């Protein structure tokens, strides 16, 4: 159970739970909160495995840490309720609990961002980790593929 493919499956299950929270209008508030908490458990386990198997600076480890941060933020948001007739939400938790949740979410997101900046990866990034293996030629990306990449819409989950 402690291997990279298992961690990938956990990450995907967590993402599924998080997506369901946002798009399934039939869910009750408690069901949404349970799905968010379940997603956090999956992300936590996936993150621990990826740190051990791939290292803390691997792109997949960073992605899981970032997803965990955004899920922590979602958890805080789902612990608020709308005030009828007003354009505001109030926390269902004491202020310190809400503040701690936001701080944990921000910490995960900022750490993931810092690691991503310190360890850039990708075909257009110059550096040792992006050099092709000896004897293998990597063709440059075509204009069509670059255009397609720049037009993709990213949906955070």
């Amino acid at each position: 159970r402690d291997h990279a493919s298992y961690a990938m499956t956990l990450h995907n299950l967590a993402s599924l739970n998080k997506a369901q929270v946002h798009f399934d209008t039939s869910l009750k508030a408690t069901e949404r909160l349970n799905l968010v908490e379940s997603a956090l458990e999956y992300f936590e386990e996936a993150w621990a495995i990826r740190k051990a198997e791939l290292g803390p600076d691997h792109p997949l480890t960073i992605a899981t840490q970032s997803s965990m941060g955004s899920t922590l933020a979602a958890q805080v948001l789902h612990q608020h309720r709308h005030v009828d007739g007003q354009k505001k939400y109030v926390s269902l938790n004491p202020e310190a609990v809400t503040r701690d949740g936001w701080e944990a979410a921000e910490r995960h997101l900022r750490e993931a961002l810092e690691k991503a900046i310190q360890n850039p990866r990708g075909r257009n990034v110059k550096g040792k980790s992006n050099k092709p293996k000896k004897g293998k030629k990597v063709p440059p990306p075509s204009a069509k593929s670059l255009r397609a990449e720049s037009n993709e819409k990213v949906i955070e989950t």
Side-chain angles (χ1 to χ4, degrees), residues 57 59 62 115-122 125-127 129-130:
D57 299 330
I62 295 168
K115 287 177 188 173
I117 290 169
Q118 291 173 357
N119 301 285
R121 307 271 174 113
V125 178
K126 293 179 179 23
S129 63
N130 297 302

Side-chain angles (χ1 to χ4, degrees), residues 45-58:
E45 189 174 355
W47 187 41
I49 293 168
R50 284 180 165 175
K51 281 192 297 187
E53 287 286 312
L54 305 172
D57 299 330
H58 191 279

Side-chain angles (χ1 to χ4, degrees), residues 4-155:
S5 59
Y6 180 68
M8 177 185 62
T9 303
L10 289 171
H11 183 104
N12 290 341
L13 283 169
S15 296
L16 175 67
N17 283 2
K18 196 172 169 190
Q20 188 177 359
V21 165
H22 294 293
F23 297 108
D24 188 343
T25 57
S26 69
L27 293 174
K28 296 177 183 170
T30 53
E31 293 170 322
R32 289 180 191 285
L33 194 52
N34 287 338
L35 283 169
V36 169
E37 288 173 1
S38 177
L40 274 174
E41 290 172 10
Y42 288 141
F43 279 134
E44 284 179 47
E45 189 174 355
W47 187 41
I49 293 168
R50 284 180 165 175
K51 281 192 297 187
E53 287 286 312
L54 305 172
D57 299 330
H58 191 279
L60 294 176
T61 306
I62 295 168
T64 298
Q65 183 178 13
S66 178
S67 293
M68 204 163 121
S70 66
T71 304
L72 284 164
Q75 183 182 44
V76 173
L77 289 173
H78 286 289
Q79 293 173 349
H80 285 70
R81 68 172 173 79
H82 183 258
V83 178
D84 291 333
Q86 297 182 29
K87 294 183 178 181
K88 71 177 186 176
Y89 288 82
V90 294
S91 176
L92 303 174
N93 292 319
E95 182 181 332
V97 172
T98 300
R99 185 179 54 249
D100 290 349
W102 284 124
E103 288 172 358
E106 183 177 15
R107 186 174 50 253
H108 277 283
L109 290 166
R110 289 198 183 277
E111 285 176 9
L113 177 62
E114 186 62 33
K115 287 177 188 173
I117 290 169
Q118 291 173 357
N119 301 285
R121 307 271 174 113
R123 80 173 110 172
N124 294 328
V125 178
K126 293 179 179 23
K128 182 179 176 186
S129 63
N130 297 302
K131 291 181 181 175
K133 292 184 180 176
K134 222 174 192 178
K136 292 190 178 187
K137 291 187 178 183
V138 178
S142 68
K144 183 179 178 182
S145 70
L146 288 174
R147 223 178 8 264
E149 284 178 11
S150 67
N151 291 330
E152 288 179 358
K153 295 190 189 307
V154 176
I155 298 175

